Amino acid sequence: MAAAVQTRQVISPTAKETFHFINDPADAISDALTGLTHLHPNLSYIPHHKILYRSDLQSFRSSNHVTTIGFSGGGHEPMFGGFVGSNFLSAYVSGNVFASPTAAQIFKAIKLCQPRGGDEGSGGEARGTLVVCGNYTGDILNAGLAITRAQAAGYNVRFVPVGDDVAVGRKKGGKVGRRGLSGHLIALKCACALAERGESLERVASVMEVVAANVGTVGVAFDRVALPNATLTDLQSLPPATIELGMGAHGEPGLRQIHPIPSPQDLTHQMIDLLVDTSDADRAFIPFSASSFSGVENSAAEEKDNQVVLVLNSLGSTSDEVLARFAELAVRDLEKRGFVVKRLTLGPLVTSLKMSGFGITVWRLPAKLDRGKEAGQSMDRNMALDLWDSRVDCVAWRQ
C-alpha cells in the first residue's frame, strides 16, 4: 500500500484544465445559484452573501415554524441549494468552491430566518433556527463565530455539525472526528420535515442529532478533481487502473488505494463491510447490534435494528445507470447479512464538482426497542420512515 502512495504523480502547475463549463471562476457559484431561481419559482437569492432561500420565508418564519439553514463550500451541488424549499431547508449559505462561507454570511442567514432578534425588533416570537454543516474545521470555526454573535443579539439558534465518513476511524479522527459527506443531508430530510410540522427547535435539533448518529458513509473515486480556476495546482493523480477507497469530498486521502480495480460486486462488498462490520472497533460507527448480522425471522424483525435506508450518491460524473447497478449489489449484499432495505435513493446529492466516483450511505432505522430512548420523545421506525417519505418541493430531491 505504501508503494502505491509513492507512485502518485504530480501534474505540472502550468497544466490547463479546460473541462469546466463556466464563465469567470469567481462567479461560478453565484451563476449557479441564480440559475436555480429561474428553475424553481419559490427560490430567491442574495448575491452579496450567497444566500439562497425559500421565497415564502417571511410568512413561514412568522407562523410558528423553526427555520433550518444548511451551509457549505461550493462545488458540492446540488447540496444544499437543491434542497431549499417546502418541507426541506429554509435557506442555504454558500462559500466559494471548497471554501466555507464567512461568519458574516452565516449571521446574515440567521437574521433572515428569524422574525426578531438584535437587528429585527418586531414581529412574533421566533421558534428558532437550526444550523447544519459538515464536520470541517473552517465551517465549524465560522459557524461558531456567527452563532456566538447571533445568540448575543437575541437569536435562538442550535448548531449541529455532522461527520459520517467511516473511512476516518476513531484513531485517525481523534478529537476532530469524522469528515462530513452526505449524512447531514439524510438527517436534514427528517429534521426539516419536523420543522414544517411546527415542532420545537429542541425537538428538531434532537432528531437531527439522533439520525446523524445512526448514519455512515463511504466513498470511492478514480481520481481527485480539479478546481474550476483553469490551473491544476499540486493535484496528485492516482496511478493507472487504481481507485481510492474512502476518498474525501475535497479529494482528501482515503483509507487505501486498490489496484487492480476490483469487480463491482467485490468493491460493493468492501464498502458495505466498512459501514456495517460491528467487529471493527475503529470504524463501527453505526450502532448496529450483533444480531443484525445473522438471519432474522420475520416474526422478530420488528424488534431488531436490521432495517435501513440506503442512499447511493454520485460524486459528480457517475451516471444513474452505474449507481443503479451498485444499488442492486448493495441491496443484495445487505440482505445476505440479514438486513432489510426499507428505502432506496440514488442520484447526485452531494458531489465534488465532476469527480468520477460514488458513495454509499446507510441509515440505521430505529428498532421498536429504541422508542422513547432517543430524540427526547419517541421516534420509532414508523415515524422515521414517515419523515423520510414526506413530500418536498425543491429542485434536486428525488421522490
Side-chain angles (χ1 to χ4, degrees):
M1 208 58 62
V5 174
Q6 293 172 359
T7 59
R8 286 182 179 177
Q9 303 164 346
V10 178
I11 299 176
S12 168
T14 60
K16 295 296 181 181
E17 168 61 72
T18 59
F19 299 106
H20 290 286
F21 289 108
I22 61 173
N23 296 313
D24 187 333
D27 298 329
I29 299 302
S30 279
D31 287 348
L33 295 177
T34 299
L36 290 183
T37 66
H38 295 288
L39 183 61
H40 198 291
N42 193 37
L43 293 176
S44 298
Y45 180 55
I46 305 175
H48 180 68
H49 295 283
K50 293 189 178 71
I51 299 173
L52 186 77
Y53 63 97
R54 49 190 292 178
S55 299
D56 64 347
L57 182 57
Q58 183 173 358
S59 61
F60 179 78
R61 69 181 192 176
S62 302
S63 57
N64 208 32
H65 287 100
V66 167
T67 49
T68 53
I69 298 171
F71 76 89
S72 69
H76 302 298
E77 292 75 17
M79 183 192 81
F80 286 105
F83 308 108
V84 175
S86 177
N87 233 10
F88 225 140
L89 284 167
S90 306
Y92 163 51
V93 192
S94 179
N96 293 322
V97 174
F98 291 178
S100 171
T102 65
Q105 289 176 262
I106 300 168
F107 183 40
K108 175 66 176 179
I110 293 170
K111 292 192 291 183
L112 186 70
C113 283
Q114 290 197 32
R116 62 177 303 186
D119 294 336
E120 296 179 83
S122 61
E125 184 70 27
R127 294 297 301 277
T129 301
L130 173 68
V131 179
V132 173
C133 71
N135 185 31
Y136 296 97
T137 302
D139 297 281
I140 303 297
L141 290 175
N142 288 342
L145 291 171
I147 292 170
T148 298
R149 184 179 175 189
Q151 291 174 336
Y155 293 94
N156 186 15
V157 185
R158 286 285 299 274
F159 176 46
V160 180
V162 176
D164 58 305
D165 186 357
V166 301
V168 179
R170 291 179 171 87
K171 293 179 182 178
K172 182 178 179 180
K175 294 182 179 180
V176 175
R178 298 183 284 164
R179 301 179 295 223
L181 294 177
S182 53
H184 41 21
L185 189 61
I186 309 308
L188 276 169
K189 179 64 175 68
C190 299
C192 293
L194 275 178
E196 196 86 16
R197 299 177 187 186
E199 292 281 0
S200 68
L201 178 59
E202 291 70 25
R203 173 75 168 137
V204 171
S206 183
V207 166
M208 179 78 202
E209 291 171 342
V210 166
V211 176
N214 286 274
V215 169
T217 302
V218 64
V220 65
F222 282 98
D223 219 336
R224 287 158 181 79
V225 67
L227 300 181
N229 58 3
T231 302
L232 304 183
T233 305
D234 297 330
L235 180 69
Q236 293 183 320
S237 179
L238 298 181
T242 302
I243 58 175
E244 188 155 330
L245 182 61
M247 186 182 292
H250 309 94
E252 300 96 334
L255 175 61
R256 59 178 175 266
Q257 294 182 11
I258 305 175
H259 172 86
I261 297 172
S263 68
Q265 182 173 347
D266 289 343
L267 177 58
T268 303
H269 185 77
Q270 291 185 51
M271 296 174 77
I272 297 297
D273 259 347
L274 289 171
L275 291 165
V276 304
D277 183 3
T278 57
S279 67
D280 184 350
D282 195 39
R283 291 186 173 82
F285 291 105
I286 310 177
F288 290 110
S289 63
S291 62
S292 297
F293 290 86
S294 58
V296 179
E297 297 294 332
N298 290 336
S299 60
E302 289 302 316
E303 302 303 327
K304 302 295 183 180
D305 63 348
N306 68 324
Q307 298 195 13
V308 300
V309 170
L310 178 66
V311 176
L312 275 86
N313 171 55
S314 169
L315 291 173
S317 65
T318 304
S319 68
D320 280 2
E321 289 79 7
V322 173
L323 289 180
R325 174 56 177 154
F326 278 100
E328 177 191 10
L329 292 170
V331 170
R332 188 184 306 167
D333 192 287
L334 285 165
E335 289 177 343
K336 286 181 179 178
R337 300 171 191 254
F339 291 95
V340 178
V341 178
K342 299 297 291 184
R343 300 289 189 273
L344 170 64
T345 296
L346 62 80
L349 300 170
V350 183
T351 66
S352 181
L353 295 172
K354 57 186 182 65
M355 182 182 283
S356 180
F358 71 97
I360 299 178
T361 299
V362 170
W363 170 26
R364 168 193 173 272
L365 290 168
K368 280 195 172 181
L369 296 178
D370 292 337
R371 186 179 306 204
K373 294 194 303 181
E374 298 177 330
Q377 303 175 34
S378 65
M379 188 180 76
D380 63 13
R381 187 178 298 156
N382 290 334
M383 179 181 179
L385 289 173
D386 182 55
L387 295 173
W388 180 258
D389 292 339
S390 297
R391 305 289 291 182
V392 299
D393 184 16
C394 60
V395 172
W397 187 257
R398 297 181 177 183
Q399 53 192 358

